[in-house]
Amino acid sequence: MCGIVGYIGRQEAQSILLDGLKKLEYRGYDSAGLAVYNGETIGVKKKEGRIVNVESLLEEQSLLGSVGIAHTRWATHGKPSDRNSHPHMDHEDKFAIVHNGIIENFLELKEELQAKGHTFRSETDTEVIAHLLADAYNGDVVETVQHIVKKMEGAYALAIMSEYEPDKLVAVRLASPLIIGVGEGENFIASDIPAILKHTREMVILEDGEMAVLTDDQIQVMTTEGEKIDREPLHVDWDIVTAEKDGYDHFMLKEIYEQPKAIRDTLTGRIKEGIVDLASELTLSQAEMEQIDRIHFVACGTAYHAGIVGKYALEQLTRIPVEVDVASEYRYRDPIITERTLVIVISQSGETADTLAAMREAQSRGAKVLAITNVVGSTIARDADEVLITSAGPEIAVASTKAYTSQLVVIYQLGLYLAHIRATQPRTEIEKMVEELLSLPLKIEEALKGADILKMLATELARHNNLFFIGRGLDFAVALEGSLKLKELTYIHSEAYPAGELKHGTLALIEEGVPVISLATQAFTYDKMVSNIEEVKTRGAHVLGITTAGSVDLQRTADEVITVPQTLPLFSPVLTVIPLQLLSYYACIARGFDVDKPRNLAKSVTVE
């Protein structure tokens, strides 16, 4: 969530730091700030709100100097405010620090420091770190950092600078991502690669329990115990243009329209001789795959909804029992895990703290963990036993779109691969399903052609403060995702229900004019779904139906109907989610809200 940028070199740091922060805006934030050493002291400018607020301060008085750190904050301790913004300094303004994560024992540490005469200016846990540094400084900032991290409990990615030793930046990582950029006569710190990709493509990724000491011409990586580490930089061959809007009004709209390409890229290289072949990506042997007797999907938010679809898909294709858990609850419910359990964690960023914690819990109990993620070098990708990458490309908007559909496609690929290995589906059926899977990009392009109608419908939806989504089976799984998209973008109260559950309480909330978005694509529940729609219509609901082309009964029943191309019922979620994404996007526009940065939310959630 929080964004970190650091620079040490021979150029003016201010512009580099600001540019880096802007590249990290997709992570979500509520304040921003910079600290730069000017040759005598460390100057700080920080402000609640958007980066533009900090830029206004800098227009009045620049921060001159070639060494600095910067931050975008997403509040955990202390409400969003100027004084709670990063960077933070000690009471004598000798140390400046930016921090991503949580210091769980900060109150205890704060009380100890206050007893020694330290005074605090913020409500944050981060400020404690600056005071610890000042209290323990022994003339060597590296040794001091190594000393204080032993006192800290929690998760942190830190960038530290000191007036005492202004020719150094120190970076430390424990359970929060942090990378080092290697330049010529300059070096960088960042919480994510896009922040510094403009300046260097050579990256050193810090692991947990590691730190780096940067000067303008040298980088030394070591453990927090002081043991030196030799690590070759990783060359990152990313196209910066992929993180730009390319003429679209918003990143979200761009990413919705990128879904055909994202799915094509995710399918590329995994289809051989008419079937899915993941042998080159997975180390699990055929014997191990045959021994799997249960599967757990574990994820958060949109990725959790992908897991619900995954339950239907994998149970149908492999006949293995599947459970789906919200990651933040998984490790606290004492799940039944054995060595024959496959735990599948899903995370767009690969840094989701709850999912990472659940993954480690599963591994500690002997399960194999397979990660589905979009980021190759992420913590989850590195620490999982197996990894399947979604090739969605950078997703900048906070509301996930192309990452979700790419996750679905990877789940289908895994299901078809396991079905072939375990012989739970005839090869001829698998080949038919693979052929249909390959047709999905074209069918998404067809579904996107209904954008103009959806824009008109969304304008009407935006006038309401409450609405409902209903569906059965896989349609209910998509209804959950549609409801989440609408509420996170428009702030409209929205709920998704299995349509058969309406009569067990929810019908009491249906009254004249309430919008109900109804999904009906599953043949074996279609007639029941039409009856459920009649139930809400009878009570005055205004129904928008979403179904496949040719579904005549729904067109007679619903007030408006949006159709998507026909596909196998199992693959329908990839198509039915498209109009729901567009509805949410256009309803957000109609209500005048920030599409790419919804309030209170962050793209990469790295605290539990």
Side-chain angles (χ1 to χ4, degrees):
M1 53 186 65
C2 304
I4 290 174
V5 186
Y7 174 78
I8 185 166
R10 294 154 196 172
Q11 301 183 61
E12 288 294 331
Q14 176 179 301
S15 60
I16 293 172
L17 296 173
L18 281 172
D19 182 68
L21 291 183
K22 290 175 182 177
K23 294 294 193 297
L24 295 176
E25 285 189 289
Y26 69 90
R27 296 167 72 92
Y29 67 103
D30 52 54
S31 60
L34 292 78
V36 176
Y37 179 71
N38 65 12
E40 295 181 0
T41 60
I42 298 172
V44 174
K45 298 288 185 184
K46 57 184 183 177
K47 193 74 176 171
E48 181 185 354
R50 298 300 186 197
I51 293 170
V52 67
N53 296 343
V54 179
E55 288 182 299
S56 295
L57 294 178
L58 293 169
E59 287 174 4
E60 297 173 7
Q61 183 180 14
S62 295
L63 292 175
L64 302 177
S66 58
V67 182
I69 55 177
H71 192 265
T72 50
R73 177 179 187 253
W74 190 82
T76 55
H77 291 72
K79 65 182 181 181
S81 67
D82 293 351
R83 69 191 183 101
N84 288 333
S85 306
H86 295 216
H88 287 286
M89 302 189 76
D90 67 290
H91 60 311
E92 295 181 343
D93 294 339
K94 300 298 183 182
F95 291 88
I97 183 168
V98 293
H99 166 220
N100 185 9
I102 289 178
I103 307 304
E104 294 175 351
N105 62 333
F106 87 99
L107 284 175
E108 174 189 335
L109 295 171
K110 186 174 183 177
E111 288 171 0
E112 291 176 5
L113 290 160
Q114 287 174 325
K116 292 181 177 182
H118 289 252
T119 56
F120 287 77
R121 291 172 278 199
S122 78
E123 305 165 295
T124 68
D125 55 337
T126 300
E127 190 184 352
V128 168
I129 305 170
H131 288 266
L132 284 174
L133 289 164
D135 185 65
Y137 185 63
N138 64 356
D140 187 319
V141 68
V142 177
E143 289 182 3
T144 303
V145 170
Q146 291 168 347
H147 173 72
I148 68 138
V149 295
K150 295 175 183 176
K151 297 185 175 184
M152 293 159 31
E153 298 172 6
Y156 45 82
L158 309 175
I160 300 164
M161 63 188 298
S162 171
E163 184 180 310
Y164 296 123
E165 300 176 55
D167 61 336
K168 296 185 182 76
L169 289 181
V170 180
V172 193
R173 175 202 167 135
L174 181 66
S176 286
L178 203 61
I179 61 170
I180 307 300
V182 183
E184 295 183 7
E186 58 185 5
N187 291 303
F188 307 82
I189 301 170
S191 51
D192 208 348
I193 289 171
I196 56 176
L197 192 58
K198 177 180 177 180
H199 304 283
T200 179
R201 293 182 176 272
E202 303 303 314
M203 311 287 176
V204 175
I205 299 174
L206 295 184
E207 303 287 348
D208 281 351
E210 292 181 355
M211 60 186 293
V213 183
L214 290 71
T215 65
D216 58 5
D217 59 3
Q218 189 177 15
I219 294 170
Q220 178 61 63
V221 180
M222 63 188 77
T223 68
T224 53
E225 300 294 329
E227 181 181 346
K228 299 292 191 294
I229 298 170
D230 291 324
R231 181 169 298 150
E232 288 296 316
L234 170 72
H235 180 76
V236 177
D237 189 21
W238 285 14
D239 180 4
I240 297 175
V241 176
T242 59
E244 298 176 352
K245 294 180 183 177
D246 287 347
Y248 289 93
D249 290 337
H250 301 92
F251 281 114
M252 182 181 176
L253 188 62
K254 174 177 177 280
E255 288 155 11
I256 289 172
Y257 278 86
E258 285 177 338
Q259 288 177 107
K261 181 182 185 300
I263 289 176
R264 287 190 186 98
D265 291 346
T266 300
L267 289 166
T268 298
R270 291 175 172 163
I271 310 298
K272 298 175 183 176
E273 297 181 2
I275 61 171
V276 176
D277 185 354
L278 302 176
S280 63
E281 297 179 66
L282 301 179
T283 62
L284 283 170
S285 67
Q286 181 167 337
E288 288 175 312
M289 286 187 277
E290 289 173 345
Q291 289 171 3
I292 295 168
D293 65 0
R294 76 181 69 192
I295 294 172
H296 294 174
F297 278 103
V298 183
C300 303
T302 286
Y304 169 70
H305 296 156
I308 296 175
V309 174
K311 171 181 171 64
Y312 285 91
L314 265 60
E315 285 189 340
Q316 179 176 325
L317 292 170
T318 69
R319 309 310 299 158
I320 301 172
V322 179
E323 298 177 25
V324 190
D325 274 270
V326 174
S328 57
E329 296 293 328
Y330 183 66
R331 65 187 176 126
Y332 299 109
R333 74 168 178 86
D334 194 20
I336 299 172
I337 299 172
T338 72
E339 292 181 354
R340 298 177 69 181
T341 304
L342 177 65
V343 176
I344 303 174
V345 298
I346 311 173
S347 168
Q348 179 271 331
S349 67
E351 302 292 351
T352 310
D354 288 314
T355 307
L356 183 58
M359 177 181 83
R360 288 175 173 155
E361 176 71 15
Q363 289 173 319
S364 72
R365 293 176 179 232
K368 288 284 187 183
V369 174
L370 186 154
I372 298 175
T373 182
N374 196 41
V375 183
V376 176
S378 62
T379 303
I380 286 174
R382 294 198 309 275
D383 291 356
D385 302 293
E386 307 284 344
V387 182
L388 291 174
I389 298 295
T390 57
S391 299
E395 190 177 63
I396 307 302
V398 168
S400 181
T401 52
K402 63 177 181 174
Y404 170 75
T405 48
S406 298
Q407 289 162 359
L408 296 185
V409 168
V410 169
I411 290 167
Y412 294 138
Q413 289 175 316
L414 178 63
L416 290 166
Y417 181 61
L418 288 173
H420 176 65
I421 295 292
R422 295 167 63 98
T424 53
Q425 299 290 331
R427 179 169 179 132
T428 54
E429 286 301 310
I430 291 174
E431 288 175 349
K432 288 179 183 177
M433 285 188 273
V434 168
E435 185 177 357
E436 184 60 25
L437 203 59
L438 290 168
S439 75
L440 288 178
L442 283 175
K443 292 183 177 181
I444 292 174
E445 290 173 358
E446 186 66 26
L448 287 167
K449 293 178 181 178
D452 289 342
I453 298 172
L454 289 162
K455 184 176 182 179
M456 178 185 67
L457 295 172
T459 301
E460 175 58 33
L461 279 180
R463 297 191 179 101
H464 294 269
N465 293 318
N466 297 281
L467 58 83
F468 297 91
F469 288 74
I470 59 174
R472 285 176 174 257
L474 282 167
D475 286 332
F476 169 59
V478 180
L480 287 167
E481 174 59 12
S483 178
L484 176 62
K485 279 292 153 291
L486 193 77
K487 70 182 70 171
E488 66 184 340
L489 287 169
T490 68
Y491 320 143
I492 295 171
H493 173 251
S494 168
E495 299 293 341
Y497 285 93
E501 281 295 294
L502 289 170
K503 54 187 172 290
H504 298 293
T506 311
L507 274 177
L509 299 175
I510 303 299
E511 58 187 7
E512 191 68 32
V514 169
V516 177
I517 298 174
S518 307
L519 287 81
T521 67
Q522 304 298 298
F524 63 99
T525 59
Y526 183 81
D527 291 340
K528 297 291 185 184
M529 190 65 211
V530 171
S531 297
N532 296 141
I533 291 171
E534 290 284 6
E535 288 174 351
V536 296
K537 283 276 291 179
T538 300
R539 289 155 178 85
H542 186 92
V543 176
L544 169 59
I546 297 177
T547 188
T548 52
S551 300
V552 177
D553 289 344
L554 192 66
Q555 299 198 27
R556 295 191 185 117
T557 306
D559 295 287
E560 290 100 9
V561 175
I562 297 295
T563 62
V564 296
Q566 289 190 347
T567 186
L568 295 175
L570 189 62
F571 298 157
S572 66
V574 177
L575 300 179
T576 50
V577 78
I578 303 298
L580 301 185
Q581 293 171 349
L582 288 167
L583 272 175
S584 298
Y585 171 80
Y586 286 119
C588 181
I589 298 295
R591 287 171 73 91
F593 298 133
D594 190 335
V595 173
D596 290 330
K597 304 181 190 73
R599 69 189 183 198
N600 303 333
L601 302 179
K603 185 64 176 175
S604 178
V605 183
T606 55
V607 295
E608 295 182 55

